[in-house]
Coordinates of all heavy atoms in Angstrom, one line a residue:
M167 N -32.5 9.7 7.7 CA -31.2 10.2 7.4 C -30.7 9.7 6.1 O -30.8 8.5 5.7 CB -30.2 9.6 8.5 CG -28.8 10.1 8.3 SD -27.6 9.4 9.5 CE -27.8 10.6 10.9
T168 N -30.2 10.5 5.2 CA -29.8 10.2 3.9 C -28.5 9.5 3.9 O -27.8 9.5 4.9 CB -29.7 11.5 2.9 OG1 -28.6 12.2 3.4 CG2 -31.1 12.3 2.9
R169 N -28.1 8.9 2.8 CA -26.8 8.3 2.7 C -25.7 9.2 2.9 O -24.7 8.9 3.6 CB -26.7 7.6 1.3 CG -25.4 6.9 1.1 CD -25.3 6.2 -0.2 NE -26.0 5.0 -0.2 CZ -26.1 4.1 -1.2 NH1 -25.4 4.4 -2.3 NH2 -26.7 3.0 -1.1
K170 N -25.8 10.4 2.3 CA -24.8 11.4 2.4 C -24.7 11.9 3.9 O -23.5 12.0 4.4 CB -25.2 12.6 1.6 CG -24.1 13.7 1.7 CD -24.4 14.9 0.7 CE -23.3 15.9 0.8 NZ -23.5 17.1 -0.1
E171 N -25.8 12.0 4.6 CA -25.8 12.4 6.0 C -25.1 11.3 6.9 O -24.4 11.6 7.8 CB -27.2 12.7 6.5 CG -27.7 14.0 5.9 CD -29.2 14.1 6.3 OE1 -29.9 13.1 6.5 OE2 -29.7 15.2 6.3
R172 N -25.4 10.0 6.5 CA -24.7 8.9 7.3 C -23.2 9.0 7.0 O -22.5 8.8 8.0 CB -25.4 7.6 6.9 CG -26.7 7.3 7.5 CD -27.1 5.8 7.3 NE -26.9 5.3 5.9 CZ -27.9 5.2 5.0 NH1 -29.1 5.6 5.3 NH2 -27.6 4.7 3.9
Y173 N -22.8 9.1 5.7 CA -21.4 9.2 5.4 C -20.7 10.3 6.2 O -19.7 10.1 6.8 CB -21.3 9.4 3.9 CG -19.9 9.8 3.5 CD1 -19.0 8.8 3.3 CD2 -19.6 11.1 3.3 CE1 -17.6 9.2 2.9 CE2 -18.3 11.5 2.9 CZ -17.3 10.6 2.7 OH -16.1 10.9 2.3
E174 N -21.3 11.4 6.2 CA -20.8 12.6 6.9 C -20.7 12.4 8.4 O -19.6 12.7 9.0 CB -21.5 13.9 6.5 CG -21.3 14.3 5.2 CD -22.1 15.5 4.8 OE1 -23.0 16.0 5.6 OE2 -22.0 16.0 3.6
A175 N -21.7 11.7 9.0 CA -21.6 11.4 10.4 C -20.5 10.4 10.7 O -19.8 10.6 11.7 CB -23.0 10.8 10.9
V176 N -20.3 9.4 9.8 CA -19.3 8.5 10.1 C -17.9 9.1 10.0 O -17.0 8.9 10.8 CB -19.3 7.2 9.1 CG1 -18.1 6.4 9.1 CG2 -20.6 6.5 9.4
V177 N -17.6 9.9 8.9 CA -16.4 10.6 8.7 C -16.1 11.6 9.9 O -15.0 11.6 10.5 CB -16.4 11.5 7.4 CG1 -15.2 12.3 7.3 CG2 -16.4 10.5 6.3
D178 N -17.1 12.3 10.4 CA -17.0 13.2 11.6 C -16.6 12.4 12.8 O -15.7 12.9 13.6 CB -18.2 14.0 11.8 CG -18.5 15.0 10.7 OD1 -17.5 15.4 10.0 OD2 -19.7 15.5 10.7
L179 N -17.2 11.2 13.0 CA -16.9 10.3 14.1 C -15.4 9.9 14.1 O -14.7 10.0 15.1 CB -17.8 9.1 14.2 CG -17.5 8.2 15.3 CD1 -17.7 8.8 16.7 CD2 -18.3 6.9 15.2
F180 N -14.9 9.5 12.9 CA -13.6 9.1 12.8 C -12.6 10.3 13.0 O -11.5 10.1 13.6 CB -13.3 8.5 11.4 CG -13.7 7.0 11.3 CD1 -14.5 6.6 10.3 CD2 -13.3 6.1 12.2 CE1 -14.9 5.4 10.1 CE2 -13.7 4.7 12.1 CZ -14.6 4.4 11.1
K181 N -12.9 11.4 12.5 CA -12.1 12.6 12.8 C -12.1 12.9 14.2 O -11.0 13.3 14.7 CB -12.6 13.8 11.9 CG -12.4 13.7 10.5 CD -12.9 15.0 9.8 CE -12.7 14.9 8.3 NZ -13.2 16.1 7.6
K182 N -13.1 12.7 14.9 CA -13.2 13.0 16.3 C -12.4 12.0 17.2 O -11.6 12.3 18.1 CB -14.6 13.0 16.8 CG -14.8 13.3 18.3 CD -16.3 13.3 18.7 CE -16.4 13.5 20.2 NZ -17.8 13.3 20.5
I183 N -12.5 10.8 16.8 CA -11.9 9.7 17.5 C -10.4 9.6 17.2 O -9.5 9.4 18.1 CB -12.5 8.2 17.2 CG1 -13.9 8.2 17.8 CG2 -11.7 7.1 17.8 CD1 -14.7 7.0 17.3
N184 N -10.0 9.8 16.0 CA -8.6 9.7 15.6 C -8.2 10.8 14.7 O -8.2 10.6 13.4 CB -8.3 8.3 15.0 CG -6.9 8.0 14.8 OD1 -6.0 8.8 15.2 ND2 -6.5 6.9 14.3
P185 N -8.0 12.0 15.2 CA -7.9 13.2 14.3 C -6.6 13.2 13.5 O -6.4 13.8 12.5 CB -7.9 14.4 15.2 CG -7.5 13.8 16.6 CD -8.0 12.4 16.6
D186 N -5.5 12.5 14.0 CA -4.2 12.4 13.3 C -3.9 11.1 12.8 O -2.9 10.5 13.0 CB -3.1 13.0 14.2 CG -3.4 14.4 14.6 OD1 -3.8 15.2 13.7 OD2 -3.2 14.7 15.8
A187 N -4.8 10.5 12.0 CA -4.7 9.1 11.6 C -3.4 9.0 10.6 O -3.2 9.9 9.8 CB -5.9 8.6 10.8
E188 N -2.5 8.0 10.8 CA -1.4 7.8 10.1 C -1.2 6.4 9.7 O -1.8 5.5 10.5 CB -0.2 8.3 10.7 CG -0.1 9.8 11.0 CD 1.2 10.2 11.6 OE1 2.2 9.5 11.5 OE2 1.2 11.4 12.2
T189 N -0.5 6.1 8.7 CA -0.2 4.7 8.3 C 1.2 4.3 9.0 O 1.9 5.1 9.3 CB -0.2 4.5 6.8 OG1 0.1 3.1 6.5 CG2 0.9 5.3 6.2
E190 N 1.3 3.0 9.1 CA 2.5 2.5 9.6 C 3.5 2.1 8.4 O 4.6 1.7 8.6 CB 2.3 1.2 10.5 CG 1.6 1.6 11.8 CD 1.4 0.4 12.8 OE1 2.2 -0.6 12.6 OE2 0.7 0.5 13.6
L191 N 2.9 2.2 7.2 CA 3.7 1.9 6.0 C 4.8 2.9 6.0 O 4.6 4.1 6.2 CB 2.8 2.0 4.8 CG 1.8 0.8 4.7 CD1 0.9 1.1 3.6 CD2 2.5 -0.5 4.6
E192 N 6.0 2.5 5.6 CA 7.2 3.4 5.4 C 7.3 3.7 3.9 O 7.3 2.8 3.0 CB 8.4 2.7 5.9 CG 8.3 2.5 7.4 CD 9.4 1.6 7.9 OE1 10.3 1.2 7.1 OE2 9.4 1.3 9.1
Y193 N 7.3 5.0 3.6 CA 7.4 5.5 2.2 C 8.0 6.9 2.2 O 8.0 7.6 3.2 CB 6.0 5.5 1.6 CG 5.0 6.5 2.2 CD1 4.9 7.7 1.7 CD2 4.4 6.1 3.4 CE1 4.0 8.6 2.2 CE2 3.5 7.0 3.9 CZ 3.3 8.2 3.4 OH 2.4 9.1 4.0
S194 N 8.5 7.3 1.1 CA 9.0 8.6 1.0 C 8.4 9.6 -0.1 O 8.7 10.7 -0.2 CB 10.5 8.6 0.8 OG 10.8 7.9 -0.5
D195 N 7.5 9.0 -0.9 CA 6.8 9.8 -2.0 C 5.5 9.0 -2.3 O 5.3 7.9 -1.9 CB 7.7 10.0 -3.2 CG 8.2 8.7 -3.8 OD1 7.3 7.8 -4.0 OD2 9.3 8.5 -4.2
P196 N 4.7 9.7 -3.0 CA 3.3 9.2 -3.3 C 3.4 7.8 -4.1 O 2.6 6.9 -4.0 CB 2.6 10.2 -4.2 CG 3.2 11.5 -3.8 CD 4.7 11.2 -3.5
F197 N 4.4 7.7 -5.0 CA 4.6 6.4 -5.7 C 4.9 5.3 -4.8 O 4.3 4.2 -4.9 CB 5.8 6.6 -6.8 CG 6.3 5.2 -7.3 CD1 5.6 4.5 -8.1 CD2 7.6 4.8 -6.9 CE1 6.1 3.2 -8.5 CE2 8.1 3.6 -7.3 CZ 7.3 2.7 -8.1
Q198 N 5.8 5.5 -3.9 CA 6.1 4.4 -2.8 C 4.9 4.1 -2.0 O 4.6 3.0 -1.7 CB 7.3 4.8 -2.0 CG 8.6 4.8 -2.7 CD 9.7 5.1 -1.8 OE1 9.6 5.4 -0.7 NE2 10.9 5.1 -2.5
L199 N 4.0 5.1 -1.6 CA 2.9 4.8 -0.8 C 1.9 4.1 -1.6 O 1.4 3.1 -1.1 CB 2.3 6.2 -0.4 CG 0.9 6.1 0.4 CD1 1.0 5.2 1.6 CD2 0.4 7.5 0.7
L200 N 1.7 4.4 -2.9 CA 0.7 3.6 -3.7 C 1.2 2.2 -3.8 O 0.3 1.3 -3.6 CB 0.7 4.2 -5.0 CG -0.2 3.5 -6.1 CD1 -1.6 3.4 -5.7 CD2 -0.1 4.1 -7.5
I201 N 2.5 1.9 -4.1 CA 2.9 0.5 -4.1 C 2.8 -0.2 -2.9 O 2.3 -1.3 -2.8 CB 4.4 0.5 -4.6 CG1 4.5 1.1 -6.1 CG2 4.9 -0.9 -4.6 CD1 3.6 0.4 -7.1
A202 N 3.2 0.4 -1.7 CA 3.0 -0.1 -0.4 C 1.6 -0.5 -0.1 O 1.3 -1.5 0.5 CB 3.6 0.8 0.6
V203 N 0.7 0.4 -0.4 CA -0.7 0.1 -0.2 C -1.3 -1.0 -1.0 O -2.0 -1.9 -0.4 CB -1.6 1.4 -0.3 CG1 -3.1 1.1 -0.4 CG2 -1.3 2.5 0.7
I204 N -0.9 -1.1 -2.2 CA -1.3 -2.2 -3.1 C -0.8 -3.5 -2.5 O -1.5 -4.6 -2.4 CB -0.8 -2.0 -4.5 CG1 -1.6 -0.9 -5.2 CG2 -1.0 -3.3 -5.3 CD1 -1.0 -0.4 -6.5
L205 N 0.5 -3.5 -2.1 CA 1.1 -4.7 -1.6 C 0.5 -5.1 -0.2 O 0.5 -6.3 0.2 CB 2.6 -4.5 -1.4 CG 3.4 -4.5 -2.7 CD1 4.9 -4.2 -2.4 CD2 3.2 -5.8 -3.6
S206 N 0.0 -4.1 0.5 CA -0.5 -4.4 1.9 C -1.9 -5.0 2.0 O -2.3 -5.5 3.1 CB -0.5 -3.1 2.7 OG -1.6 -2.3 2.3
A207 N -2.5 -5.1 0.9 CA -3.8 -5.8 0.9 C -3.7 -7.2 1.4 O -3.0 -8.0 0.9 CB -4.5 -5.8 -0.5
Q208 N -4.5 -7.6 2.5 CA -4.4 -8.9 3.1 C -3.1 -9.3 3.7 O -2.7 -10.4 3.7 CB -4.9 -10.0 2.1 CG -6.3 -9.7 1.5 CD -7.3 -9.9 2.6 OE1 -7.3 -10.7 3.3 NE2 -8.2 -8.9 2.6
C209 N -2.3 -8.2 4.0 CA -0.9 -8.5 4.6 C -0.7 -7.4 5.6 O -1.4 -6.4 5.7 CB 0.1 -8.4 3.4 SG 1.7 -9.1 3.8
T210 N 0.3 -7.7 6.5 CA 0.6 -6.8 7.6 C 1.5 -5.7 7.0 O 2.4 -5.8 6.1 CB 1.2 -7.4 8.8 OG1 2.5 -7.9 8.4 CG2 0.4 -8.5 9.3
D211 N 1.3 -4.5 7.6 CA 2.3 -3.4 7.3 C 3.7 -3.8 7.7 O 4.7 -3.4 7.0 CB 1.9 -2.1 8.0 CG 0.6 -1.5 7.6 OD1 0.1 -2.0 6.5 OD2 0.0 -0.6 8.2
E212 N 3.9 -4.5 8.7 CA 5.2 -4.9 9.1 C 5.9 -5.7 8.0 O 7.1 -5.5 7.7 CB 5.1 -5.7 10.4 CG 6.5 -6.3 10.8 CD 6.4 -7.1 12.2 OE1 5.3 -7.3 12.7 OE2 7.4 -7.6 12.7
R213 N 5.2 -6.6 7.4 CA 5.7 -7.5 6.3 C 6.0 -6.5 5.1 O 7.1 -6.7 4.5 CB 4.8 -8.6 5.9 CG 5.0 -9.3 4.6 CD 6.3 -10.0 4.5 NE 6.5 -10.9 5.7 CZ 7.7 -11.3 6.1 NH1 8.8 -11.0 5.3 NH2 7.9 -12.0 7.1
I214 N 5.2 -5.7 4.8 CA 5.4 -4.8 3.7 C 6.6 -3.9 3.9 O 7.4 -3.7 3.0 CB 4.1 -3.9 3.4 CG1 3.0 -4.7 3.0 CG2 4.5 -2.9 2.3 CD1 3.1 -5.8 2.0
N215 N 6.9 -3.4 5.1 CA 8.0 -2.6 5.4 C 9.3 -3.4 5.4 O 10.4 -2.8 5.2 CB 7.8 -2.0 6.8 CG 6.8 -0.9 6.8 OD1 6.4 -0.3 5.8 ND2 6.2 -0.6 8.0
K216 N 9.2 -4.7 5.4 CA 10.4 -5.5 5.2 C 10.8 -5.8 3.8 O 11.9 -5.9 3.4 CB 10.2 -6.9 5.9 CG 10.2 -6.8 7.5 CD 10.0 -8.2 8.0 CE 9.9 -8.1 9.6 NZ 9.7 -9.4 10.2
V217 N 9.8 -5.8 2.9 CA 10.1 -6.1 1.4 C 10.2 -4.8 0.7 O 10.9 -5.0 -0.4 CB 9.0 -7.0 0.8 CG1 8.9 -8.3 1.6 CG2 7.7 -6.3 0.7
T218 N 9.7 -3.7 1.0 CA 9.7 -2.6 0.1 C 11.1 -1.8 0.0 O 11.4 -1.3 -1.0 CB 8.6 -1.6 0.4 OG1 8.7 -1.2 1.8 CG2 7.3 -2.1 0.1
P219 N 11.9 -1.8 1.1 CA 13.2 -1.1 0.9 C 14.0 -1.6 -0.3 O 14.5 -0.7 -1.1 CB 13.9 -1.3 2.2 CG 12.8 -1.5 3.2 CD 11.8 -2.2 2.4
K220 N 14.2 -2.9 -0.5 CA 14.9 -3.4 -1.6 C 14.2 -3.1 -2.9 O 14.8 -2.8 -3.9 CB 15.1 -4.9 -1.4 CG 15.9 -5.6 -2.6 CD 17.3 -5.3 -2.6 CE 18.0 -6.2 -3.6 NZ 19.0 -5.5 -4.4
L221 N 12.9 -3.3 -2.9 CA 12.0 -3.1 -4.1 C 12.2 -1.6 -4.5 O 12.5 -1.3 -5.7 CB 10.5 -3.4 -3.9 CG 9.6 -3.2 -5.0 CD1 9.8 -4.2 -6.1 CD2 8.1 -3.2 -4.5
F222 N 12.1 -0.7 -3.6 CA 12.2 0.7 -4.0 C 13.6 1.2 -4.3 O 13.8 2.0 -5.1 CB 11.7 1.6 -2.8 CG 10.2 1.4 -2.5 CD1 9.7 1.7 -1.3 CD2 9.3 1.1 -3.5 CE1 8.3 1.5 -1.0 CE2 7.9 1.0 -3.3 CZ 7.4 1.1 -2.0
A223 N 14.6 0.5 -3.8 CA 16.0 0.8 -4.1 C 16.3 0.4 -5.6 O 16.9 1.1 -6.3 CB 16.9 0.1 -3.2
D224 N 15.8 -0.8 -6.0 CA 16.0 -1.3 -7.3 C 15.0 -0.7 -8.4 O 15.4 -0.6 -9.5 CB 15.9 -2.8 -7.3 CG 17.1 -3.4 -6.6 OD1 18.0 -2.7 -6.2 OD2 17.1 -4.6 -6.4
F225 N 13.9 -0.2 -7.9 CA 12.9 0.4 -8.8 C 12.3 1.6 -8.2 O 11.3 1.7 -7.7 CB 11.7 -0.6 -9.1 CG 12.2 -2.1 -9.5 CD1 12.2 -3.0 -8.6 CD2 12.6 -2.2 -10.9 CE1 12.7 -4.3 -9.1 CE2 13.0 -3.4 -11.3 CZ 13.1 -4.5 -10.4
P226 N 13.2 2.7 -8.3 CA 12.8 4.0 -7.6 C 11.7 4.8 -8.2 O 11.3 5.8 -7.6 CB 14.2 4.7 -7.6 CG 14.8 4.2 -8.8 CD 14.5 2.8 -9.0
S227 N 11.3 4.5 -9.4 CA 10.2 5.3 -10.0 C 9.2 4.4 -10.7 O 9.5 3.2 -11.0 CB 10.8 6.3 -11.1 OG 11.3 5.5 -12.2
P228 N 8.0 5.0 -11.1 CA 7.0 4.2 -11.8 C 7.6 3.7 -13.1 O 7.3 2.5 -13.6 CB 5.9 5.2 -12.1 CG 6.0 6.2 -11.0 CD 7.5 6.3 -10.7
E229 N 8.4 4.5 -13.8 CA 9.0 4.1 -15.0 C 9.9 2.8 -14.9 O 9.9 2.0 -15.8 CB 9.8 5.2 -15.7 CG 9.0 6.4 -16.1 CD 8.6 7.3 -14.9 OE1 9.1 7.3 -13.8 OE2 7.7 8.1 -15.2
H230 N 10.7 2.8 -13.8 CA 11.6 1.7 -13.6 C 10.7 0.4 -13.4 O 11.0 -0.7 -13.9 CB 12.5 1.9 -12.4 CG 13.6 2.9 -12.7 ND1 13.5 4.2 -12.3 CD2 14.8 2.7 -13.2 CE1 14.6 4.8 -12.6 NE2 15.4 3.9 -13.2
L231 N 9.7 0.6 -12.6 CA 8.9 -0.6 -12.2 C 8.1 -1.0 -13.5 O 8.0 -2.3 -13.7 CB 7.9 -0.2 -11.2 CG 7.2 -1.4 -10.4 CD1 8.3 -2.3 -9.8 CD2 6.3 -0.8 -9.3
A232 N 7.6 -0.1 -14.3 CA 6.9 -0.5 -15.5 C 7.7 -1.2 -16.6 O 7.2 -1.9 -17.5 CB 6.2 0.7 -16.1
A233 N 9.0 -0.9 -16.5 CA 9.9 -1.4 -17.5 C 10.3 -2.9 -17.3 O 10.9 -3.5 -18.2 CB 11.2 -0.7 -17.6
V234 N 9.8 -3.6 -16.3 CA 10.2 -4.9 -15.9 C 9.0 -5.8 -15.9 O 7.8 -5.4 -15.8 CB 10.9 -5.1 -14.7 CG1 12.3 -4.3 -14.7 CG2 10.2 -4.6 -13.4
S235 N 9.3 -7.1 -16.1 CA 8.1 -8.0 -16.1 C 7.7 -8.4 -14.7 O 8.5 -8.3 -13.7 CB 8.5 -9.3 -16.8 OG 9.5 -10.0 -16.1
P236 N 6.4 -9.0 -14.5 CA 6.0 -9.5 -13.2 C 7.0 -10.6 -12.7 O 7.2 -10.7 -11.5 CB 4.6 -10.1 -13.5 CG 4.1 -9.3 -14.7 CD 5.4 -9.1 -15.5
D237 N 7.6 -11.4 -13.5 CA 8.5 -12.4 -13.1 C 9.8 -11.7 -12.4 O 10.4 -12.3 -11.6 CB 9.0 -13.2 -14.3 CG 7.9 -14.1 -14.8 OD1 6.9 -14.4 -14.1 OD2 8.0 -14.5 -16.0
E238 N 10.1 -10.5 -12.8 CA 11.2 -9.8 -12.2 C 10.9 -9.3 -10.9 O 11.7 -9.1 -10.0 CB 11.8 -8.8 -13.1 CG 12.4 -9.4 -14.4 CD 12.9 -8.2 -15.3 OE1 13.9 -7.7 -15.2 OE2 12.1 -8.0 -16.3
I239 N 9.6 -8.9 -10.7 CA 9.1 -8.3 -9.4 C 8.9 -9.4 -8.4 O 9.0 -9.2 -7.2 CB 7.8 -7.5 -9.6 CG1 8.1 -6.4 -10.7 CG2 7.2 -7.0 -8.3 CD1 9.0 -5.5 -10.2
F240 N 8.4 -10.5 -8.8 CA 8.0 -11.7 -7.9 C 9.0 -11.9 -6.8 O 8.5 -12.1 -5.6 CB 7.7 -12.9 -8.7 CG 7.2 -14.0 -7.9 CD1 5.8 -14.2 -7.5 CD2 8.0 -14.9 -7.4 CE1 5.4 -15.1 -6.7 CE2 7.6 -16.0 -6.5 CZ 6.2 -16.1 -6.2
P241 N 10.3 -12.1 -7.1 CA 11.3 -12.4 -6.0 C 11.2 -11.4 -4.9 O 11.5 -11.7 -3.7 CB 12.6 -12.5 -6.8 CG 12.3 -12.8 -8.1 CD 11.0 -12.1 -8.4
Y242 N 11.0 -10.2 -5.2 CA 11.0 -9.0 -4.2 C 9.9 -9.2 -3.3 O 9.9 -8.8 -2.1 CB 10.9 -7.7 -4.9 CG 12.2 -7.3 -5.7 CD1 12.3 -7.7 -7.0 CD2 13.2 -6.6 -5.0 CE1 13.4 -7.4 -7.7 CE2 14.3 -6.2 -5.8 CZ 14.4 -6.6 -7.0 OH 15.6 -6.3 -7.7
I243 N 8.7 -9.7 -3.8 CA 7.5 -9.7 -3.0 C 7.0 -11.1 -2.7 O 5.8 -11.2 -2.2 CB 6.4 -8.9 -3.7 CG1 5.9 -9.4 -5.0 CG2 6.9 -7.4 -3.8 CD1 4.7 -8.8 -5.6
R244 N 7.7 -12.1 -2.9 CA 7.3 -13.5 -2.7 C 6.7 -13.8 -1.3 O 5.9 -14.6 -1.1 CB 8.3 -14.5 -3.1 CG 9.4 -14.6 -2.1 CD 10.5 -15.7 -2.4 NE 10.0 -16.7 -3.3 CZ 10.6 -17.0 -4.4 NH1 11.7 -16.5 -4.8 NH2 10.1 -18.0 -5.2
S245 N 7.1 -13.0 -0.3 CA 6.7 -13.2 1.0 C 5.4 -12.6 1.4 O 4.9 -12.7 2.5 CB 7.7 -12.9 2.0 OG 8.0 -11.5 2.0
V246 N 4.8 -11.7 0.5 CA 3.6 -11.1 0.8 C 2.4 -11.9 0.3 O 2.6 -12.9 -0.5 CB 3.5 -9.7 0.2 CG1 4.6 -8.8 0.6 CG2 3.4 -9.7 -1.3
T247 N 1.2 -11.7 0.7 CA 0.1 -12.5 0.3 C -0.2 -12.2 -1.1 O -0.1 -11.1 -1.7 CB -1.2 -12.2 1.1 OG1 -1.4 -10.8 1.0 CG2 -1.0 -12.6 2.5
Y248 N -0.6 -13.3 -2.0 CA -0.9 -13.2 -3.4 C 0.2 -12.5 -4.2 O -0.1 -11.6 -5.0 CB -2.2 -12.4 -3.5 CG -3.4 -12.9 -2.7 CD1 -3.9 -12.1 -1.7 CD2 -3.9 -14.2 -2.9 CE1 -4.9 -12.6 -0.9 CE2 -4.9 -14.7 -2.1 CZ -5.4 -13.8 -1.1 OH -6.4 -14.3 -0.3
P249 N 1.4 -13.0 -4.2 CA 2.5 -12.4 -4.9 C 2.3 -12.5 -6.4 O 2.8 -11.6 -7.1 CB 3.8 -13.0 -4.3 CG 3.2 -14.4 -3.9 CD 1.9 -14.2 -3.3
N250 N 1.7 -13.6 -6.8 CA 1.6 -13.7 -8.3 C 0.7 -12.6 -8.9 O 1.0 -12.0 -9.9 CB 1.0 -15.1 -8.6 CG 1.9 -16.2 -8.3 OD1 3.0 -16.1 -8.5 ND2 1.4 -17.2 -7.9
N251 N -0.4 -12.3 -8.2 CA -1.2 -11.3 -8.7 C -0.7 -9.9 -8.4 O -0.8 -9.0 -9.3 CB -2.7 -11.4 -8.0 CG -3.4 -12.5 -8.5 OD1 -3.3 -13.0 -9.6 ND2 -4.3 -13.1 -7.6
K252 N 0.0 -9.7 -7.3 CA 0.5 -8.3 -7.0 C 1.7 -8.0 -7.9 O 1.9 -6.8 -8.1 CB 0.8 -8.2 -5.5 CG -0.4 -8.3 -4.7 CD -0.1 -8.2 -3.1 CE -1.4 -8.2 -2.3 NZ -1.2 -8.3 -0.9
S253 N 2.4 -9.0 -8.3 CA 3.5 -8.7 -9.1 C 3.1 -8.2 -10.6 O 3.8 -7.5 -11.2 CB 4.5 -9.9 -9.3 OG 3.8 -11.0 -9.9
K254 N 1.9 -8.6 -11.0 CA 1.4 -8.1 -12.2 C 1.0 -6.7 -12.1 O 1.0 -5.9 -13.1 CB 0.1 -9.0 -12.6 CG 0.5 -10.4 -12.9 CD -0.7 -11.2 -13.2 CE -0.3 -12.7 -13.3 NZ -1.5 -13.6 -13.4

């Protein structure tokens, strides 16, 4: 079995077992999903859903988030894992 065949078999199995896979992360657009996924590394979705509403309210777009320093982001995400790195 080739690597591609193994890959397709695994994907087919996942589609069969869980055809409507969804995330528990709360988001309203692709930007928010991206930020939530980045923050969720090594952290629970529950924790991320607690910190992102204020973050997204104050920084509603990529431009708003890019315009501030990591030091300004840190207080919003201090309770997630690796906040120093994730704020960068």
Side-chain angles (χ1 to χ4, degrees):
M167 181 180 277
T168 67
R169 178 181 281 186
K170 182 177 180 180
E171 290 169 335
R172 284 193 313 262
Y173 166 80
E174 289 172 356
V176 169
V177 170
D178 289 342
L179 178 64
F180 280 128
K181 285 180 180 179
K182 180 180 174 184
I183 293 171
N184 194 359
D186 297 319
E188 293 184 21
T189 181
E190 292 183 20
L191 294 170
E192 296 170 1
Y193 64 96
S194 62
D195 58 44
F197 164 69
Q198 288 184 1
L199 176 59
L200 175 64
I201 298 303
V203 168
I204 291 169
L205 292 176
S206 71
Q208 302 295 313
C209 197
T210 66
D211 291 350
E212 181 181 0
R213 168 61 48 200
I214 300 309
N215 289 338
K216 289 180 182 178
V217 302
T218 53
K220 177 76 170 134
L221 179 69
F222 295 151
D224 291 351
F225 306 102
S227 71
E229 293 80 14
H230 287 97
L231 197 58
V234 298
S235 72
D237 291 336
E238 292 175 82
I239 300 301
F240 182 84
Y242 291 86
I243 65 168
R244 75 176 338 125
S245 65
V246 305
T247 55
Y248 309 113
N250 291 325
N251 289 332
K252 291 178 182 179
S253 65
K254 295 174 187 173

